[in-house]
Amino acid sequence: MNLFITGTDTDAGKTYVTRLLLDALKQSGIQAAGFKPFCCGGRQDSILLHQGSAEGPGFTLDEINPIWLKTPASPFTAALIENRKLDFAGLRRSLDNLTSRVDHVLIEGAGGWEVPLAPGYTLADYAQEIGWPVLVVVNNRLGALNHTILTVKNIQARGLKCAGLVLNYAHEERDAASISNRMVLESMDLAPVVADIMHGETDGRELLDALQEWM
């Protein structure tokens, strides 16, 4: 189950969902690794994926997260500020290394789907080159419908499979938008809604089982 996990925007819950799936795979006795090709600002997300990856192969943090830019901005902007050139060929080698050592790799993107990486080159272009199915984590709030529809249509226009949507609600109380978003998205038949979750209150095994049903 190699997957590219993107979000409708930043802080949608990509790391949370990726770590849930990694933990569920590990509990099932399946060797899997998270891959965070680009990390900007703090490195906590990459650390969480590193901790959730299979222990047997003995991955280093830099193998899980090859490019760490300390500026909290898009990779393109952060690289300009830090006067760095991103090594995309090296990223391909890093991913090949992971896929050769575990059964499954979950790639977590940076920010939203079309985040700029370099002039004329976005995260969506990078994902298209890899060609894996894309799981979209939706920041389940007012405005999520527009972001989700645009993201899914772009994924499909690039010839990629949208493996499904995970609606992630990070607040304690629900509102009209977060309650109704699933119904609206299912009625549009854009992509399967794999789960509608409350951040911090979700069983990773249930999420994994639901995802595998659709894939």
Side-chain angles (χ1 to χ4, degrees):
M1 191 181 69
N2 291 334
L3 274 178
F4 193 102
I5 300 174
T6 191
T8 49
D9 53 16
T10 192
D11 293 329
K14 297 184 301 296
T15 302
Y16 175 64
V17 170
T18 305
R19 179 62 191 265
L20 279 176
L21 292 172
L22 285 171
D23 288 345
L25 288 166
K26 184 185 291 187
Q27 290 166 11
S28 300
I30 299 171
Q31 294 234 317
F35 186 55
K36 180 78 172 172
F38 312 96
C39 185
C40 301
R43 212 178 189 186
Q44 185 60 32
D45 289 353
S46 301
I47 292 171
L48 288 172
L49 296 193
H50 181 238
Q51 292 171 343
S53 296
E55 298 172 359
F59 296 116
T60 66
L61 181 57
D62 287 337
E63 287 177 311
I64 299 300
N65 168 223
I67 295 178
W68 176 33
L69 298 156
K70 298 181 182 180
T71 305
S74 73
F76 180 24
T77 304
L80 286 176
I81 292 172
E82 298 178 25
N83 194 28
R84 288 180 56 184
K85 183 175 180 181
L86 304 186
D87 182 5
F88 294 107
L91 278 182
R92 184 75 238 191
R93 292 191 296 272
S94 296
L95 180 57
D96 290 343
N97 172 50
L98 290 188
T99 57
S100 70
R101 294 163 66 186
V102 293
D103 300 317
H104 305 286
V105 175
L106 306 181
I107 302 175
E108 183 195 329
W113 178 240
E114 285 279 12
V115 167
L117 303 178
Y121 187 69
T122 70
L123 188 74
D125 296 319
Y126 172 71
Q128 186 175 10
E129 291 173 2
I130 295 170
W132 291 0
V134 181
L135 181 68
V136 180
V137 181
V138 178
N139 189 351
N140 190 13
R141 58 178 178 82
L142 184 63
L145 294 176
N146 179 62
H147 293 164
T148 304
I149 292 165
L150 289 172
T151 300
V152 173
K153 285 189 173 182
N154 187 278
I155 289 169
Q156 294 170 340
R158 291 172 176 272
L160 298 172
K161 175 183 178 180
C162 182
L165 310 174
V166 175
L167 277 61
N168 178 46
Y169 191 69
H171 304 286
E172 292 182 2
E173 298 180 359
R174 303 297 293 263
D175 55 20
S178 69
I179 292 170
S180 61
N181 282 341
R182 177 169 190 160
M183 176 195 67
V184 176
L185 289 169
E186 288 179 332
S187 72
M188 298 187 68
D189 200 28
L190 280 171
V193 178
V194 174
D196 183 349
I197 65 178
M198 289 288 288
H199 196 91
E201 299 179 7
T202 303
D203 186 320
R205 184 68 227 185
E206 291 180 3
L207 178 59
L208 179 61
D209 289 344
L211 179 59
Q212 288 176 326
E213 283 183 19
W214 287 107
M215 292 187 67

